Amino acid sequence: MSERYYLTCIGCGSKYDPNNIIYKCYRCGDLLSVEYSGEVMKAEIASKWNLRDFTVWRYAELLPVSDKSKIVSLGEGGTSLNKCVRLGCEASLKNIYVKNEGENPTGSFKDRGMTVGVTKALELGMKRVACASTGNTSASLAAYAARAGLECMVLIPSGKVAFGKLIQAIVHGAKVIQVKGNFDEALKIVEEICATQPVYLLNSINPYRLEGQKTIAFEIWDQLHHNVPDKVIVPVGNAGNISAIWKGFKELYAAGLTEKLPEMIGIQAEGAAPIATFIRERLEKIRFVEKPETVATAIRIGSPVNWKKAVRAIEESNGLAETVSDEEILSAQRLLAQREGIFVEPAGAAAVAGLIKLADMKLIDRDEVVVCILTGHGLKDPDIILKQFSKPVEIEADIGALIKMLSLNP
Ligand SMILES: *Cc1c(COP(=O)(O)O)cnc(C)c1O
Ligand SMILES: [Zn+2]
């Protein structure tokens, strides 16, 4: 067994060799997590971080890769953290930041996970990779598989994937298969294939992917000059990302690099909110949503595979979960574009929609430092914009026409 890290079950605590091709605990079927030995969790791990580029691999000491010469990377991570004064004013808040994950190579945070997950596929000797996807996972996996020279298969729900994302999977040469069903159904099939065939599964049930995504926490800490925010707001679909980010902050804490932890706030769309409902209504048992619906297709998920990890993240951190309507999501998308110059896809805007709602409910203090994770780029889903705005005016190509038009619309 590798000395530095191993896999452990979040349910029964069983430990597994990290070189097993395994996605769930053999004993109890629960989710797996990558853990690092006590030797690793020391403040010295950060001593080299400042000397490296600002990418996911800056934090190599806390990433589960044994042979660094085989890393499959497109320079992912190192996204900007923007202070939003105009947006903050709107919500009467003074310290609002947004982390723009749309700046990643394929336009979403999924790239952070895929650089680690696809590197792991190579390490494990796999030749084929697969995922089910609402769009961004397939776009990202297709790109990283191309870079690694691996065969890639992606299953997407028919007609429910944003145009830009579909194009990405196609251009990178993945075998794209449309499933007549929703994401949850597509995932079920691909999980079964990967359990019986030599195909490596790269959905967020894969614990290595989440290791890459936890670097969002490390970067926020770096960008806030080694401070941790009061609250981090994350859109939640399959719930891997909020779990990963929380894990990242906890590791900084365990290594003695921070004495504080943020509250994790999960935002779901009203029509796809099993986790928010579970937490808010203090249910005994989670109720999955059979037919999830929302304009934010990236979080249109009814049975989130990582729900247990996410509920833990929210509860351990004293955080909360909230829902937002499609209207609130689209309004936040326009606000970000028109007040801050940042264009995100609807799911990416869900965090800001949540921020505004929580500020209205007085659940965020004026001085608190809040970071919203903008999960994906706006160009992924152009149709949703065309539906909301009217077509630009058209004039004859002469100055008279322009002057006339301007005087009519002063
Ligand atoms: C994948 C994705 C999400 C949801 O992340 P989970 O880890 O599934 O909760 C949110 N927004 C965008 C843009 C995504 O691509
Ligand atoms: Zn177990």
Side-chain angles (χ1 to χ4, degrees):
M1 200 182 273
S2 147
E3 318 229 304
R4 198 162 62 88
Y5 60 93
Y6 52 89
L7 293 169
T8 178
C9 167
I10 68 160
C12 71
S14 295
K15 287 185 182 177
Y16 295 97
D17 188 306
N19 294 317
N20 274 336
I21 296 167
I22 174 179
Y23 311 101
K24 282 183 179 171
C25 177
Y26 289 138
R27 297 194 179 84
C28 75
D30 220 329
L31 297 167
L32 301 174
S33 170
V34 179
E35 297 300 330
Y36 298 81
S37 72
E39 286 300 297
V40 174
M41 286 297 169
K42 291 185 175 146
E44 294 84 76
I45 50 170
S47 62
K48 291 196 200 117
W49 291 357
N50 262 335
L51 307 172
R52 300 189 188 131
D53 288 349
F54 194 43
T55 75
V56 163
W57 295 99
R58 176 182 178 95
Y59 310 101
E61 286 75 9
L62 289 177
L63 292 173
V65 160
S66 312
D67 181 357
K68 292 201 185 102
S69 68
K70 285 200 189 133
I71 289 172
V72 183
S73 172
L74 290 163
E76 54 293 315
T79 59
S80 58
L81 183 73
N82 300 291
K83 186 157 189 188
C84 290
V85 175
R86 280 155 55 78
L87 176 71
C89 274
E90 201 103 0
S92 302
L93 301 171
K94 290 212 304 230
N95 294 300
I96 302 307
Y97 294 84
V98 293
K99 186 138 177 78
N100 189 3
E101 289 296 295
E103 293 169 9
N104 279 297
T106 77
S108 83
F109 71 82
K110 301 294 196 298
D111 295 342
R112 295 178 184 272
M114 289 308 174
T115 186
V116 176
V118 171
T119 298
K120 209 69 202 173
L122 284 186
E123 249 182 34
L124 295 169
M126 303 300 277
K127 301 274 184 290
R128 305 167 84 184
V129 291
C131 69
S133 175
T134 60
N136 282 332
T137 300
S138 58
S140 182
L141 181 57
Y144 284 83
R147 188 146 173 98
L150 295 171
E151 214 178 291
C152 174
M153 171 177 80
V154 305
L155 273 71
I156 54 172
S158 272
K160 291 291 185 183
V161 167
F163 190 62
K165 306 178 187 181
L166 180 64
I167 294 303
Q168 286 179 292
I170 292 171
V171 78
H172 290 301
K175 180 170 282 181
V176 180
I177 300 158
Q178 300 203 65
V179 177
K180 291 182 190 166
N182 60 31
F183 167 84
D184 304 289
E185 292 165 309
L187 178 60
K188 210 165 153 245
I189 312 180
V190 81
E191 270 189 51
E192 276 174 35
I193 287 284
C194 293
T196 54
Q197 308 275 327
V199 183
Y200 195 54
L201 180 63
L202 276 163
N203 277 99
S204 59
I205 194 168
N206 183 315
Y208 291 117
R209 238 190 75 184
L210 299 188
E211 290 305 287
Q213 291 172 209
K214 78 184 177 189
T215 57
I216 290 177
F218 301 163
E219 288 185 8
I220 291 171
W221 169 84
D222 247 333
Q223 289 168 307
L224 293 177
H225 310 289
H226 299 182
N227 286 305
V228 157
D230 296 301
K231 292 182 164 68
V232 178
I233 309 186
V234 190
V236 172
N238 245 325
N241 208 32
I242 192 169
S243 315
I245 297 171
W246 175 238
K247 186 172 189 286
F249 282 117
K250 278 204 304 188
E251 288 178 0
L252 292 175
Y253 186 87
L257 293 165
T258 172
E259 286 173 2
K260 185 181 141 183
L261 287 165
E263 291 167 32
M264 300 301 297
I265 299 180
I267 304 295
Q268 293 200 292
E270 274 173 6
I275 293 174
T277 309
F278 176 77
I279 291 179
R280 281 191 315 196
E281 296 177 16
R282 296 173 202 281
L283 302 179
E284 298 246 311
K285 199 167 170 287
I286 191 154
R287 285 199 303 257
F288 292 139
V289 176
E290 201 136 311
K291 292 202 159 48
E293 270 312 334
T294 165
V295 281
T297 50
I299 52 173
R300 188 173 171 272
I301 290 168
S303 342
V305 293
N306 288 298
W307 72 270
K308 268 193 197 166
K309 284 185 178 177
V311 167
R312 269 188 208 178
I314 291 168
E315 287 178 348
E316 277 176 19
S317 72
N318 264 320
L320 55 92
E322 190 49 77
T323 57
V324 289
S325 68
D326 280 0
E327 241 166 84
E328 288 167 324
I329 289 173
L330 295 177
S331 150
Q333 183 187 33
R334 292 191 300 269
L335 198 67
L336 271 168
Q338 300 184 356
R339 297 280 198 286
E340 299 293 349
I342 301 172
F343 183 24
V344 299
E345 64 169 285
V352 169
L355 170 83
I356 292 166
K357 185 165 179 182
L358 294 170
D360 281 347
M361 294 162 80
K362 304 273 177 269
L363 288 173
I364 299 178
D365 291 338
R366 201 176 149 70
D367 296 317
E368 278 184 312
V369 176
V370 184
V371 175
C372 296
I373 311 298
L374 308 182
T375 44
H377 201 289
L379 288 174
K380 298 249 183 195
D381 193 355
D383 299 337
I384 200 78
I385 304 302
L386 284 177
K387 279 186 202 147
Q388 296 171 71
F389 290 83
S390 49
K391 244 173 78 185
V393 293
E394 195 177 25
I395 59 167
E396 294 303 325
D398 74 55
I399 184 142
L402 180 60
I403 288 170
K404 190 163 164 227
M405 199 273 300
L406 291 175
S407 62
L408 284 174
N409 303 293

